[in-house]
């Protein structure tokens, strides 16, 4: 009886975590992946223009970045459940409206304006739901204590599985069911995220602060945490290369390598698979070697793959492999970032600080879109190489500095669970 009762009590936290954290995150991650990777494919299929695809990438990320800080402040003010539900329902309505409009104007200026507007609005709403789900996951990770990296590994794994399926699913739906089929599926993921959100993921703060006050609070919190600040700096430089790959992929794969838009989705699905495997390896590696060693190794993989893109990836297969390796390294760095972030940021300022940190290290994405839109296809290789060199130098400096700071040398545990300090 005692053991049975103990087993029931042991199962309850797991079941509650799955229901309150993992299931809503899974639905939202599916919507996030289809928005991020599917809508650019939709733009390419609608406009048949590589330049407009790069411009759409920039237009998608500029309002997204503007929404990050506001979303963090709104989560702190109103709580994660309300933000997640409202943003998910609004995204579903916007996408369904586009699904009704686009078949009537499949080409021309009206269609181009519709898909560009869809990219911007859906991107903003996606970031609101993402910040809400991320804040809830971080709160649950803090409750997990020294095993926080395990929960972060599961959450990141959910995102990578969604990224694995999302681009391929979007490509297949566009090819076999058309625009409406893809957009209706995206709306279904959004509505599922709203329906699965529990009654209360996180309490709003007692005295909600204005948005600008929240931004200042996030900035002050980030400045007070040197380890996190340096890691965000490194991720910002790394994301310049990653963003450039995402923005340039349709141009390189479709125009230079002569493949289809579905092949673009296959690249990101393969990249997500290798990233998922890397995340699983990092879960064990962090326990054995610590955060700094795993982060530095992942950064080296990202730097090496970035440098190889322009020099070695002259065929579709080679390009797919190099991008997959690049994203595997990025996945390892993300586990380190999430674990450190959930551990160091105080709960009362987490939403605002999260929004600010994401805003900072995602700033390169619209820049990458602008670079692709302005750069001739024949000169993209030189731009990719220059960004890869900058990325490698930045990551080397970042992890050299992090080795001298506290924060990345505490997550290393014995088999029994007791923490070790490097």
């Amino acid at each position: 009886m005692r053991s049975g009762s103990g087993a029931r009590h042991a199962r309850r936290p797991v079941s509650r975590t799955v229901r309150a954290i993992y299931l809503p995150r899974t639905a939202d991650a599916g919507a996030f992946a289809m928005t991020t990777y599917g809508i650019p494919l939709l733009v390419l299929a609608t406009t048949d223009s590589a330049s407009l695809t790069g411009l759409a990438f920039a237009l998608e990320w500029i309002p997204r970045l503007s929404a990050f800080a506001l979303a963090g402040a709104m989560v702190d003010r109103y709580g994660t459940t309300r933000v997640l539900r409202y943003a998910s329902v609004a995204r579903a309505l916007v996408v369904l409206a586009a699904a009704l409009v686009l078949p009537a104007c499949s080409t021309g200026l009206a269609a181009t304006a519709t898909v560009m507007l869809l990219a911007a609005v859906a991107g903003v709403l996606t970031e609101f739901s993402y910040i809400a789900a991320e804040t809830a996951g971080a709160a649950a990770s803090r409750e997990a204590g020294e095993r926080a990296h395990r929960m972060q590994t599961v959450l990141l794994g959910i995102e990578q599985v969604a990224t694995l399926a999302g681009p391929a699913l979007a490509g297949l739906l566009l090819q076999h069911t058309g625009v409406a089929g893809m957009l209706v599926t995206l709306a279904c993921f959004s509505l599922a995220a709203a329906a699965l959100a529990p009654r209360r993921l996180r309490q709003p703060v007692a005295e909600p602060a204005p948005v600008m006050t929240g931004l200042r609070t996030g900035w002050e919190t980030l400045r007070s945490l040197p380890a996190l600040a340096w890691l965000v700096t490194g991720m910002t430089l790394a994301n310049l290369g990653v963003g450039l790959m995402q923005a340039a992929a349709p141009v390189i794969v479709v125009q230079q390598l002569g493949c289809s838009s579905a092949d673009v989705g296959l690249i990101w699905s393969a990249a997500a698979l290798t990233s998922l495997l890397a995340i699983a390896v990092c879960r064990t590696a962090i326990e054995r070697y610590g955060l700094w060693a795993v982060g530095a190794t992942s950064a080296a993989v990202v730097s090496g793959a970035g440098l190889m893109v322009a020099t070695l990836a002259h065929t579709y297969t080679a390009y797919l492999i190099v991008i997959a390796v690049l994203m595997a390294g990025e996945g390892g760095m993300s586990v380190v970032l999430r674990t450190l972030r959930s551990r160091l940021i105080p709960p009362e300022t987490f939403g605002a600080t999260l929004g600010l940190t994401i805003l900072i290290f995602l700033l390169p994405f619209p820049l990458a879109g602008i670079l692709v839109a302005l750069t001739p296809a024949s000169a993209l290789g030189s731009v990719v190489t220059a960004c890869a060199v900058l990325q490698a130098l930045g990551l080397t400096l970042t992890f050299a500095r992090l080795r001298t700071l506290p924060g990345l040398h505490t997550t290393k545990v014995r088999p029994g669970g007791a923490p070790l300090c490097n």
Side-chain angles (χ1 to χ4, degrees):
M1 290 293 293
R2 181 175 301 176
S3 62
S5 176
R8 285 195 298 271
H9 286 295
R11 284 195 297 268
R12 285 174 188 167
V14 174
S15 176
R16 188 160 51 246
T17 299
V18 170
R19 175 64 183 86
I21 304 297
Y22 294 156
L23 287 181
R25 186 56 165 274
T26 299
D28 186 66
F32 186 100
M34 291 199 69
T35 301
T36 302
Y37 297 96
I39 289 182
L41 290 176
L42 174 63
V43 173
L44 183 64
T46 302
T47 65
D48 196 28
S49 169
S51 296
L52 287 177
T53 302
L55 180 60
F57 189 87
L59 292 177
E60 179 182 4
W61 277 102
I62 289 173
R64 275 190 176 197
L65 295 179
S66 302
F68 269 122
L70 178 60
M74 291 300 99
V75 167
D76 283 340
R77 181 169 187 171
Y78 297 112
T80 53
T81 297
R82 187 180 299 180
V83 174
L84 178 60
R85 283 179 174 168
Y86 286 179
S88 298
V89 170
R91 178 176 55 202
L93 293 176
V94 168
V95 167
L96 288 174
L100 294 175
V101 171
L102 281 174
C105 54
S106 56
T107 59
L109 181 60
T112 300
T114 300
V115 293
M116 294 292 188
L117 183 61
L118 173 63
V121 176
V124 168
L125 295 171
T126 294
E127 298 316 319
F128 271 85
S129 66
Y130 171 78
I131 292 291
E134 181 74 4
T135 303
S141 294
R142 282 192 294 271
E143 294 179 2
E146 289 295 329
R147 297 289 182 174
H149 65 283
R150 288 183 173 270
M151 179 169 288
Q152 289 298 327
T153 299
V154 174
L155 292 173
L156 191 56
I158 289 172
E159 290 187 9
Q160 294 302 324
V161 169
T163 306
L164 172 65
L169 178 62
L172 288 174
L173 288 172
L174 275 175
Q175 182 175 355
H176 296 289
T177 66
V179 171
M182 193 204 82
L183 293 179
V184 168
T185 303
L186 173 54
C188 289
F189 277 109
S190 297
L191 293 175
L196 289 170
R199 291 182 179 273
R200 201 176 294 273
L201 284 177
R202 180 176 178 267
Q203 293 278 5
V205 296
E207 296 183 1
V211 173
M212 293 309 299
T213 301
L215 290 177
R216 286 193 296 269
T217 299
W219 178 251
E220 291 171 0
T221 302
L222 183 61
R223 289 182 60 189
S224 68
L225 302 171
L228 182 62
W230 272 99
L231 190 56
V232 169
T233 301
M235 288 290 290
T236 301
L237 293 173
N239 280 345
L240 179 59
V242 174
L244 189 61
M245 289 299 97
Q246 289 188 9
V251 181
I252 294 174
V253 175
V254 175
Q255 291 193 341
Q256 296 185 4
L257 300 180
C259 300
S260 67
S261 59
D263 292 322
V264 180
L266 179 60
I267 285 178
W268 296 115
S269 295
L273 178 60
T274 58
S275 183
L276 190 62
L277 295 175
I279 290 168
V281 172
C282 287
R283 174 176 174 172
T284 303
I286 287 174
E287 295 179 351
R288 183 169 183 178
Y289 301 108
L291 281 171
W292 186 89
V294 173
T297 301
S298 300
V301 172
V302 169
S303 300
L307 291 170
M308 287 191 297
V309 169
T311 57
L312 299 179
H314 300 307
T315 65
Y316 177 78
T317 301
Y319 188 76
L320 185 150
I321 292 173
V322 172
I323 295 298
V325 172
L326 173 71
M327 297 308 294
E330 194 271 343
M333 289 185 63
S334 295
V335 173
V336 174
L337 173 69
R338 286 166 173 264
T339 303
L340 190 68
R341 189 170 62 194
S342 64
R343 172 170 301 181
L344 295 182
I345 301 176
E348 62 273 12
T349 62
F350 189 89
T353 310
L354 174 66
L356 181 65
T357 56
I358 294 176
L359 172 65
I360 292 171
F361 73 72
L362 291 184
L363 284 174
F365 281 80
L367 175 61
I370 293 172
L371 285 174
V372 172
L374 297 179
T375 303
S378 59
L380 269 180
S382 299
V383 174
V384 169
T385 301
C387 289
V389 171
L390 179 62
Q391 178 187 69
L393 293 176
L395 288 175
T396 300
L397 177 61
T398 293
F399 280 90
R401 185 70 180 92
L402 284 173
R403 190 168 179 81
T404 67
L405 295 174
L408 265 73
H409 303 283
T410 55
T411 301
K412 184 177 178 183
V413 298
R414 300 181 190 274
L420 292 170
C421 294
N422 291 347

